[in-house]
Amino acid sequence: MKMKVCRKAHFNAAHRLYRKDWSDEKNFQVFGKCSNPLYHGHNYELIVGVIGDIDPETGFLIDLKIVKQYIKEEVEIPFDHKNLNEEVAEFKNLNPTTENIAIVIWNKLRNKIPAKYDIEVTLYETPRNFVIYSGGTN
Ligand code: NI
């Protein structure tokens, strides 16, 4: 029986959305307040969904303690209270939009969570703005 189990997590991080090849004015036109050259923070809320079959022996789909540990190692420790542009290698040359952060998190967790499971990353940048990524290429 297929089901999705979810683990919620949280991190605070600073970012700036901008293109180096654009002026500050153009960056402000496109990215608004998120282009502030001196950075600003968000309280990111993360929901990691793991989709798979329930193990009839345990009644578990996956042990959420393991998912919790992967989120800690792959997301909370490297991202929490960090400046994403300056301190996180994945964003040296990648704009840290909610979309791109979700893809980076998905790829990091995909390398940890066994391949028999599908995974889905939901990332809230604000209580009203969020993205969902489940690994599709189109
Ligand atoms: Ni922002």
Side-chain angles (χ1 to χ4, degrees), residues 66-78:
I66 297 167
V67 178
K68 175 186 175 185
Q69 186 62 27
Y70 290 153
I71 293 171
K72 184 174 181 186
E73 292 167 4
E74 297 297 323
V75 182
E76 291 172 354
I77 291 173

Side-chain angles (χ1 to χ4, degrees), residues 19-81:
R19 289 186 59 98
K20 290 172 188 161
D21 56 331
W22 288 357
S23 67
D24 283 354
E25 290 72 24
K26 175 143 190 203
N27 278 309
F28 184 76
Q29 277 175 11
V30 174
F31 298 115
K33 289 191 292 186
C34 276
S35 76
N36 177 3
L38 297 180
Y39 305 100
H40 62 280
H42 290 283
N43 299 317
Y44 290 97
E45 293 286 345
L46 172 66
I47 303 170
V48 176
V50 181
I51 300 130
D53 291 306
I54 300 172
D55 179 343
E57 195 170 58
T58 61
F60 279 166
L61 189 153
I62 189 169
D63 185 345
L64 278 174
K65 284 197 305 291
I66 297 167
V67 178
K68 175 186 175 185
Q69 186 62 27
Y70 290 153
I71 293 171
K72 184 174 181 186
E73 292 167 4
E74 297 297 323
V75 182
E76 291 172 354
I77 291 173
F79 292 3
D80 188 40
H81 285 73

Side-chain angles (χ1 to χ4, degrees), residues 86-138:
E86 298 291 331
E87 297 181 272
V88 178
E90 286 86 350
F91 302 109
K92 277 283 180 225
N93 295 300
L94 180 67
N95 218 8
T97 59
T98 321
E99 292 88 334
N100 283 334
I101 299 168
I103 291 169
V104 166
I105 291 171
W106 189 94
N107 285 330
K108 296 182 85 174
L109 294 174
R110 182 69 283 177
N111 288 334
K112 294 279 181 164
I113 293 172
K116 67 176 178 176
Y117 300 108
D118 290 322
I119 63 174
E120 178 184 274
V121 166
T122 303
L123 184 66
Y124 285 78
E125 188 180 75
T126 72
R128 294 174 192 275
N129 293 347
F130 64 99
V131 302
I132 301 173
Y133 182 62
S134 45
T137 52
N138 51 23

